[in-house]
Amino acid sequence: MLAAFTGYEVISKVPVILHTPLMSGSNFIHGIVLVGTMVALGHAETTAQMWVGFIAVILAAGNAVGGYVVTERMLEMFKSSKGAK
């Protein structure tokens, strides 16, 4: 609860123009987490460790892909609509 409240307070004070670079930085971190989960899965020895590692890889990949999708949507908001006509 404290982390959620603190995160909300910190992000709410960031100017709108900085949200996209922050998302890009967090996507980089999610990519590192994905690599870490794949390394951990590679070192798994028991079936339970393999299942936990597999689930971690799936969740990390989903998180990274979702972050890139959101960043792409945010960048679309900044594009000019002059060429759309």
Side-chain angles (χ1 to χ4, degrees):
M1 283 291 253
L2 182 58
F5 177 75
T6 304
Y8 176 78
E9 287 298 316
V10 168
I11 295 298
S12 67
K13 294 181 178 23
V14 173
V16 174
I17 196 73
L18 293 179
H19 279 280
T20 302
L22 285 175
M23 286 295 296
S24 178
S26 69
N27 289 339
F28 174 73
I29 293 170
H30 295 306
I32 292 172
V33 169
L34 178 57
V35 171
T37 59
M38 289 189 292
V39 168
L41 179 59
H43 291 303
E45 295 176 357
T46 67
T47 304
Q49 290 174 345
M50 288 181 193
W51 274 107
V52 170
F54 177 74
I55 292 169
V57 168
I58 296 297
L59 292 174
N63 199 5
V65 170
Y68 283 109
V69 169
V70 169
T71 301
E72 185 64 30
R73 282 187 172 181
M74 290 177 72
L75 290 173
E76 288 292 324
M77 290 175 18
F78 291 108
K79 288 186 178 177
S80 176
S81 61
K82 292 178 185 175
K85 290 183 179 181

